[in-house]
Structure formats: C-alpha cells, structure tokens
Amino acid sequence: MSRPLPAEHVAQGGFAVHTRGRGFSDITAQVADAVASSHVQAGIANIFTAHTSCSLLLGENADPSVRDDLERWFARAVPDGDPIFEHDAEGPDDMPAHVRSILTGVSLTVPVHAGKLLLGTWQGVYLWEHRLDPHQRKVTVTVLGH
C-alpha cells in the first residue's frame, strides 16, 4: 500500500437514467465519465441514487444471463402482489420494489486509480429498476481524492 494521501479534491456531478421498466441499465460509462471529469487520480467514487424503488449494483458485465437469473431469483423471493404486503398505493409492484431496493442498496463506493474506476475485469455498474413501468432516475457521483 502506498503512503496515505489527503482527499484534496471533491467533485460531484450526476446524470439521469431513463429506464424501460423493471430491469438493468448499464451506467458504467456515465460513472466513468464523471470520474474522468473530476480529475481525481487516486481516491474513491461514491455512486448514489435518491430513489426507494430502484437500486445500484456491481455485477457481471459479460454474460447477461447473470442479470436475468438475478431478476428471476428476486421474482421468487419478493413476488409482485404478495398478500403479505399492505403498502400497494401504486400497484402490486410497489412494496416489492421497496424491498428489492433495501436488500440491494442505493449506493456504491468504487476505488479510483490512475483517474479511472478500479473495477474487476467482469464488473459493471448497473442501475436496477424494480418498478414495472419506465421511470427517470437520478444518479449522483461524488469523487473524493488526490
């Protein structure tokens, strides 16, 4: 490990993601652009979405069947219209979307090295829409470092 460096620079930006409804949107390129424009060479990038029915995840970026399998698993674990849920103000996918978001999370932190996201070979950054209908989601990227 190299010597500690102070976080001398903070940059923050964001972008919108227009989802097609339930499923994944690959946002790796937009996050990488935010990191590049920050001019931070070493530090961290925090990616955050201020919504309660979508989430963020680092996942397999080579084989889409991994994301399909995740969607099928969650459909079984947290089914739409489950009578256990009282909250259904916006339809049968309302509360399941909240549960999915809570279980998977709305923020990620990724190291920045040499001005780039330090992702594994098969990792991508995804916004996971949990609602059935399309939505516009906001993503904020905060980059701290040197």
Side-chain angles (χ1 to χ4, degrees), residues 22 55 71 74-75 78 96-104 128 130:
R22 185 170 287 164
S55 57
E71 190 58 63
F74 265 87
V78 191
H98 295 309
V99 172
R100 289 168 170 232
S101 174
I102 290 165
L103 291 175
T104 52
W128 190 357
H130 300 303

Side-chain angles (χ1 to χ4, degrees), residues 21-26 57 66-68 70-71 126-130:
R22 185 170 287 164
F24 296 87
S25 298
D26 185 345
L57 79 115
V66 171
R67 294 182 300 279
D68 294 340
L70 281 170
E71 190 58 63
Y126 294 88
L127 183 134
W128 190 357
E129 177 63 64
H130 300 303

Side-chain angles (χ1 to χ4, degrees), residues 8-128:
E8 297 174 348
H9 186 74
V10 177
Q12 190 172 72
F15 54 89
V17 178
H18 303 279
T19 72
R20 295 183 185 152
R22 185 170 287 164
F24 296 87
S25 298
D26 185 345
I27 60 170
T28 309
Q30 294 100 311
V31 175
D33 288 346
V35 169
S37 67
S38 76
H39 304 291
V40 168
Q41 292 300 301
I44 59 170
N46 177 267
I47 306 111
F48 174 77
T49 186
H51 300 282
T52 62
S53 53
C54 70
S55 57
L56 298 169
L57 79 115
L58 285 175
E60 165 78 44
N61 67 0
D63 185 351
S65 69
V66 171
R67 294 182 300 279
D68 294 340
D69 288 345
L70 281 170
E71 190 58 63
R72 282 190 296 276
W73 187 89
F74 265 87
R76 184 181 292 169
V78 191
D80 293 336
D82 192 320
I84 194 171
F85 298 127
E86 180 179 335
H87 177 76
D88 62 358
E90 296 178 9
D93 66 333
D94 195 1
M95 189 61 203
H98 295 309
V99 172
R100 289 168 170 232
S101 174
I102 290 165
L103 291 175
T104 52
V106 296
S107 69
L108 300 169
T109 301
V110 179
V112 173
H113 177 74
K116 297 180 181 178
L117 290 169
L118 192 59
L119 294 172
T121 301
W122 308 114
Q123 286 182 317
V125 182
Y126 294 88
L127 183 134
W128 190 357

